[in-house]
Amino acid sequence: MSKVIKAKVIAGRFKDEVVRVTNISSDELGRKKAACFLKNGERANIPVTDLEVIEEAPEPAPLKVGAKTASMPFISGSSSSRTLTHTKNMARLKIENKAPVTSKKQQLALCEKCGLEYNLEERKGQPGRITECENCAIETENKAEGTMIFSHKTGSTIEIKKDGELRHEAAIFDPKNKT
């Protein structure tokens, strides 16, 4: 498809009209005339000297908005035996434990142990029970970390470590009973 050229007629019978130029031809004397469509749909041959080309900015290409699942993200390594959801989740960043945000809101409560008044909003996200103040709260959660051990496509287990000490060792999976 050829580019549409628009021009404004600056002299002659169709002065101040915007026309669409389809082609330009010249006669034996070298005069150039443009075949134009007027706004009312009529055709006219107008001398090129009577036309002023209107420069139009190119139309921006429409943004192609695809669904989130339109294409799989590139992930290094084999993903042939993984589901599509699993592969996409591998590319996602892990959620980090964020430091508690200090709130300007105050919600006062009494401590169960000592009876002192404390701000409940400041206690959120900190270790211990929320019904106890900062001084009385004890860490009730023992941190554990796990490592997935793959010994076969479907025979994976988890090794669990608590406080750096191995608590559960992954059993070795032998799919063909060779041991």
Side-chain angles (χ1 to χ4, degrees):
M1 189 172 125
S2 63
K3 184 181 173 190
V4 176
I5 299 173
K6 290 188 178 180
K8 183 178 181 183
V9 182
I10 54 175
R13 183 170 132 193
F14 304 108
K15 186 176 181 184
D16 296 330
E17 192 167 337
V18 176
V19 295
R20 191 179 62 169
V21 178
T22 56
N23 67 329
I24 297 174
S25 61
S26 59
D27 60 9
E28 310 82 41
L29 300 174
R31 295 178 293 202
K32 291 186 179 180
K33 290 195 176 186
C36 304
F37 277 108
L38 303 173
K39 283 204 175 194
N40 60 7
E42 289 181 29
R43 286 183 51 86
N45 288 331
I46 303 171
V48 174
T49 55
D50 294 350
L51 295 175
E52 182 179 288
V53 177
I54 300 171
E55 294 292 329
E56 290 187 2
E59 226 175 85
L63 277 175
K64 186 176 180 183
V65 180
K68 240 182 155 181
T69 58
S71 65
M72 235 167 51
F74 175 75
I75 297 168
S76 63
S78 173
S79 62
S80 61
S81 64
R82 297 185 179 111
T83 64
L84 179 63
T85 307
H86 183 200
T87 308
K88 279 196 286 183
N89 289 343
M90 287 170 52
R92 217 176 269 162
L93 295 175
K94 302 279 187 238
I95 299 171
E96 294 180 20
N97 291 340
K98 296 178 183 170
V101 179
T102 55
S103 175
K104 294 177 183 173
K105 190 167 52 167
Q106 276 198 339
Q107 187 177 0
L108 300 175
L110 293 175
C111 176
E112 283 182 343
K113 287 188 178 177
C114 64
L116 287 174
E117 199 173 52
Y118 66 97
N119 187 0
L120 238 149
E121 292 295 319
E122 290 177 2
R123 283 285 299 128
K124 286 185 180 174
Q126 292 186 356
R129 297 177 69 189
I130 198 160
T131 55
E132 298 171 351
C133 66
E134 301 89 21
N135 302 327
C136 299
I138 336 171
E139 177 70 56
T140 56
E141 188 180 303
N142 291 331
K143 303 282 183 188
E145 77 177 73
T147 308
M148 183 76 86
I149 306 296
F150 293 97
S151 55
H152 185 262
K153 190 176 193 177
T154 58
S156 58
T157 55
I158 298 175
E159 280 187 350
I160 300 172
K161 293 180 183 176
K162 258 189 187 176
D163 302 324
E165 183 183 330
L166 186 64
R167 297 290 174 138
H168 171 74
E169 189 174 349
I172 296 174
F173 179 77
D174 188 14
K176 296 183 181 173
N177 295 324
K178 290 185 178 179
T179 55

PDB file of all heavy atoms in Angstrom, residues 132-150:
ATOM      1  N   GLU A 132       1.901  -9.684  74.127  1.00  0.00           N
ATOM      2  CA  GLU A 132       2.944  -9.353  75.107  1.00  0.00           C
ATOM      3  C   GLU A 132       3.776  -8.188  74.581  1.00  0.00           C
ATOM      4  O   GLU A 132       3.945  -8.027  73.378  1.00  0.00           O
ATOM      5  CB  GLU A 132       3.841 -10.568  75.344  1.00  0.00           C
ATOM      6  CG  GLU A 132       3.099 -11.759  75.913  1.00  0.00           C
ATOM      7  CD  GLU A 132       3.953 -13.019  75.941  1.00  0.00           C
ATOM      8  OE1 GLU A 132       5.069 -13.009  75.369  1.00  0.00           O
ATOM      9  OE2 GLU A 132       3.514 -14.004  76.523  1.00  0.00           O
ATOM     10  N   CYS A 133       4.324  -7.375  75.486  1.00  0.00           N
ATOM     11  CA  CYS A 133       5.147  -6.229  75.080  1.00  0.00           C
ATOM     12  C   CYS A 133       6.519  -6.706  74.588  1.00  0.00           C
ATOM     13  O   CYS A 133       6.856  -7.886  74.707  1.00  0.00           O
ATOM     14  CB  CYS A 133       5.295  -5.245  76.246  1.00  0.00           C
ATOM     15  SG  CYS A 133       6.212  -5.902  77.646  1.00  0.00           S
ATOM     16  N   GLU A 134       7.337  -5.760  74.098  1.00  0.00           N
ATOM     17  CA  GLU A 134       8.655  -6.103  73.549  1.00  0.00           C
ATOM     18  C   GLU A 134       9.563  -6.752  74.584  1.00  0.00           C
ATOM     19  O   GLU A 134      10.377  -7.612  74.268  1.00  0.00           O
ATOM     20  CB  GLU A 134       9.359  -4.854  72.984  1.00  0.00           C
ATOM     21  CG  GLU A 134       8.620  -4.136  71.888  1.00  0.00           C
ATOM     22  CD  GLU A 134       7.661  -3.082  72.401  1.00  0.00           C
ATOM     23  OE1 GLU A 134       7.808  -2.608  73.547  1.00  0.00           O
ATOM     24  OE2 GLU A 134       6.722  -2.746  71.666  1.00  0.00           O
ATOM     25  N   ASN A 135       9.455  -6.343  75.854  1.00  0.00           N
ATOM     26  CA  ASN A 135      10.339  -6.853  76.906  1.00  0.00           C
ATOM     27  C   ASN A 135       9.985  -8.277  77.312  1.00  0.00           C
ATOM     28  O   ASN A 135      10.862  -9.067  77.672  1.00  0.00           O
ATOM     29  CB  ASN A 135      10.285  -5.935  78.139  1.00  0.00           C
ATOM     30  CG  ASN A 135      10.676  -4.514  77.778  1.00  0.00           C
ATOM     31  OD1 ASN A 135      11.504  -4.298  76.902  1.00  0.00           O
ATOM     32  ND2 ASN A 135      10.060  -3.545  78.426  1.00  0.00           N
ATOM     33  N   CYS A 136       8.697  -8.634  77.291  1.00  0.00           N
ATOM     34  CA  CYS A 136       8.251  -9.950  77.755  1.00  0.00           C
ATOM     35  C   CYS A 136       8.194 -10.993  76.641  1.00  0.00           C
ATOM     36  O   CYS A 136       8.163 -12.194  76.922  1.00  0.00           O
ATOM     37  CB  CYS A 136       6.861  -9.835  78.387  1.00  0.00           C
ATOM     38  SG  CYS A 136       6.822  -8.740  79.822  1.00  0.00           S
ATOM     39  N   ALA A 137       8.147 -10.576  75.395  1.00  0.00           N
ATOM     40  CA  ALA A 137       7.977 -11.504  74.277  1.00  0.00           C
ATOM     41  C   ALA A 137       9.218 -12.356  74.084  1.00  0.00           C
ATOM     42  O   ALA A 137      10.340 -11.861  74.115  1.00  0.00           O
ATOM     43  CB  ALA A 137       7.680 -10.729  72.997  1.00  0.00           C
ATOM     44  N   ILE A 138       9.006 -13.655  73.896  1.00  0.00           N
ATOM     45  CA  ILE A 138      10.107 -14.583  73.628  1.00  0.00           C
ATOM     46  C   ILE A 138       9.879 -15.170  72.234  1.00  0.00           C
ATOM     47  O   ILE A 138       8.745 -15.346  71.809  1.00  0.00           O
ATOM     48  CB  ILE A 138      10.147 -15.768  74.627  1.00  0.00           C
ATOM     49  CG1 ILE A 138       9.469 -15.449  75.938  1.00  0.00           C
ATOM     50  CG2 ILE A 138      11.567 -16.224  74.875  1.00  0.00           C
ATOM     51  CD1 ILE A 138       9.305 -16.659  76.820  1.00  0.00           C
ATOM     52  N   GLU A 139      10.971 -15.485  71.583  1.00  0.00           N
ATOM     53  CA  GLU A 139      10.889 -16.089  70.257  1.00  0.00           C
ATOM     54  C   GLU A 139      10.290 -17.474  70.396  1.00  0.00           C
ATOM     55  O   GLU A 139      10.843 -18.330  71.072  1.00  0.00           O
ATOM     56  CB  GLU A 139      12.285 -16.166  69.620  1.00  0.00           C
ATOM     57  CG  GLU A 139      12.342 -16.835  68.265  1.00  0.00           C
ATOM     58  CD  GLU A 139      11.698 -16.017  67.192  1.00  0.00           C
ATOM     59  OE1 GLU A 139      12.076 -14.866  66.982  1.00  0.00           O
ATOM     60  OE2 GLU A 139      10.765 -16.538  66.554  1.00  0.00           O
ATOM     61  N   THR A 140       9.141 -17.691  69.780  1.00  0.00           N
ATOM     62  CA  THR A 140       8.478 -18.995  69.874  1.00  0.00           C
ATOM     63  C   THR A 140       8.702 -19.834  68.623  1.00  0.00           C
ATOM     64  O   THR A 140       8.470 -21.027  68.631  1.00  0.00           O
ATOM     65  CB  THR A 140       6.956 -18.814  70.054  1.00  0.00           C
ATOM     66  OG1 THR A 140       6.480 -18.036  68.972  1.00  0.00           O
ATOM     67  CG2 THR A 140       6.630 -18.165  71.370  1.00  0.00           C
ATOM     68  N   GLU A 141       9.184 -19.227  67.595  1.00  0.00           N
ATOM     69  CA  GLU A 141       9.345 -19.908  66.327  1.00  0.00           C
ATOM     70  C   GLU A 141      10.788 -20.349  66.153  1.00  0.00           C
ATOM     71  O   GLU A 141      11.706 -19.535  66.197  1.00  0.00           O
ATOM     72  CB  GLU A 141       8.964 -18.918  65.210  1.00  0.00           C
ATOM     73  CG  GLU A 141       8.896 -19.512  63.854  1.00  0.00           C
ATOM     74  CD  GLU A 141       8.507 -18.461  62.833  1.00  0.00           C
ATOM     75  OE1 GLU A 141       7.452 -17.849  62.994  1.00  0.00           O
ATOM     76  OE2 GLU A 141       9.307 -18.257  61.901  1.00  0.00           O
ATOM     77  N   ASN A 142      11.018 -21.639  65.985  1.00  0.00           N
ATOM     78  CA  ASN A 142      12.362 -22.143  65.710  1.00  0.00           C
ATOM     79  C   ASN A 142      12.549 -22.172  64.199  1.00  0.00           C
ATOM     80  O   ASN A 142      11.762 -22.801  63.487  1.00  0.00           O
ATOM     81  CB  ASN A 142      12.549 -23.554  66.281  1.00  0.00           C
ATOM     82  CG  ASN A 142      12.576 -23.525  67.792  1.00  0.00           C
ATOM     83  OD1 ASN A 142      12.976 -22.539  68.398  1.00  0.00           O
ATOM     84  ND2 ASN A 142      12.135 -24.613  68.401  1.00  0.00           N
ATOM     85  N   LYS A 143      13.549 -21.486  63.742  1.00  0.00           N
ATOM     86  CA  LYS A 143      13.791 -21.380  62.308  1.00  0.00           C
ATOM     87  C   LYS A 143      14.355 -22.704  61.781  1.00  0.00           C
ATOM     88  O   LYS A 143      15.200 -23.319  62.402  1.00  0.00           O
ATOM     89  CB  LYS A 143      14.775 -20.250  61.982  1.00  0.00           C
ATOM     90  CG  LYS A 143      14.344 -18.894  62.482  1.00  0.00           C
ATOM     91  CD  LYS A 143      13.304 -18.308  61.595  1.00  0.00           C
ATOM     92  CE  LYS A 143      12.952 -16.907  62.093  1.00  0.00           C
ATOM     93  NZ  LYS A 143      11.856 -16.344  61.420  1.00  0.00           N
ATOM     94  N   ALA A 144      13.833 -23.104  60.623  1.00  0.00           N
ATOM     95  CA  ALA A 144      14.317 -24.309  59.960  1.00  0.00           C
ATOM     96  C   ALA A 144      14.501 -23.983  58.490  1.00  0.00           C
ATOM     97  O   ALA A 144      13.814 -23.137  57.937  1.00  0.00           O
ATOM     98  CB  ALA A 144      13.315 -25.447  60.116  1.00  0.00           C
ATOM     99  N   GLU A 145      15.464 -24.649  57.863  1.00  0.00           N
ATOM    100  CA  GLU A 145      15.663 -24.456  56.433  1.00  0.00           C
ATOM    101  C   GLU A 145      15.663 -25.818  55.772  1.00  0.00           C
ATOM    102  O   GLU A 145      16.059 -26.816  56.369  1.00  0.00           O
ATOM    103  CB  GLU A 145      16.946 -23.694  56.131  1.00  0.00           C
ATOM    104  CG  GLU A 145      18.214 -24.493  56.246  1.00  0.00           C
ATOM    105  CD  GLU A 145      19.444 -23.695  55.851  1.00  0.00           C
ATOM    106  OE1 GLU A 145      19.823 -22.824  56.623  1.00  0.00           O
ATOM    107  OE2 GLU A 145      19.984 -23.974  54.775  1.00  0.00           O
ATOM    108  N   GLY A 146      15.150 -25.864  54.571  1.00  0.00           N
ATOM    109  CA  GLY A 146      15.061 -27.127  53.862  1.00  0.00           C
ATOM    110  C   GLY A 146      15.723 -27.041  52.511  1.00  0.00           C
ATOM    111  O   GLY A 146      15.745 -25.990  51.890  1.00  0.00           O
ATOM    112  N   THR A 147      16.277 -28.168  52.076  1.00  0.00           N
ATOM    113  CA  THR A 147      16.900 -28.252  50.761  1.00  0.00           C
ATOM    114  C   THR A 147      16.255 -29.406  50.014  1.00  0.00           C
ATOM    115  O   THR A 147      16.179 -30.510  50.538  1.00  0.00           O
ATOM    116  CB  THR A 147      18.419 -28.507  50.891  1.00  0.00           C
ATOM    117  OG1 THR A 147      18.970 -27.546  51.772  1.00  0.00           O
ATOM    118  CG2 THR A 147      19.101 -28.412  49.554  1.00  0.00           C
ATOM    119  N   MET A 148      15.784 -29.127  48.821  1.00  0.00           N
ATOM    120  CA  MET A 148      15.158 -30.170  48.015  1.00  0.00           C
ATOM    121  C   MET A 148      16.254 -31.013  47.389  1.00  0.00           C
ATOM    122  O   MET A 148      17.161 -30.483  46.752  1.00  0.00           O
ATOM    123  CB  MET A 148      14.288 -29.540  46.934  1.00  0.00           C
ATOM    124  CG  MET A 148      13.543 -30.518  46.090  1.00  0.00           C
ATOM    125  SD  MET A 148      12.144 -31.233  46.900  1.00  0.00           S
ATOM    126  CE  MET A 148      10.904 -30.025  46.543  1.00  0.00           C
ATOM    127  N   ILE A 149      16.187 -32.314  47.580  1.00  0.00           N
ATOM    128  CA  ILE A 149      17.154 -33.243  47.004  1.00  0.00           C
ATOM    129  C   ILE A 149      16.446 -34.017  45.908  1.00  0.00           C
ATOM    130  O   ILE A 149      15.502 -34.755  46.172  1.00  0.00           O
ATOM    131  CB  ILE A 149      17.695 -34.227  48.073  1.00  0.00           C
ATOM    132  CG1 ILE A 149      18.251 -33.477  49.272  1.00  0.00           C
ATOM    133  CG2 ILE A 149      18.725 -35.163  47.471  1.00  0.00           C
ATOM    134  CD1 ILE A 149      19.446 -32.609  48.994  1.00  0.00           C
ATOM    135  N   PHE A 150      16.916 -33.838  44.672  1.00  0.00           N
ATOM    136  CA  PHE A 150      16.321 -34.543  43.543  1.00  0.00           C
ATOM    137  C   PHE A 150      17.140 -35.794  43.273  1.00  0.00           C
ATOM    138  O   PHE A 150      18.318 -35.722  42.962  1.00  0.00           O
ATOM    139  CB  PHE A 150      16.338 -33.660  42.278  1.00  0.00           C
ATOM    140  CG  PHE A 150      15.445 -32.475  42.369  1.00  0.00           C
ATOM    141  CD1 PHE A 150      15.937 -31.236  42.727  1.00  0.00           C
ATOM    142  CD2 PHE A 150      14.093 -32.605  42.110  1.00  0.00           C
ATOM    143  CE1 PHE A 150      15.105 -30.146  42.808  1.00  0.00           C
ATOM    144  CE2 PHE A 150      13.250 -31.516  42.187  1.00  0.00           C
ATOM    145  CZ  PHE A 150      13.752 -30.286  42.537  1.00  0.00           C
TER     146      PHE A 150
END
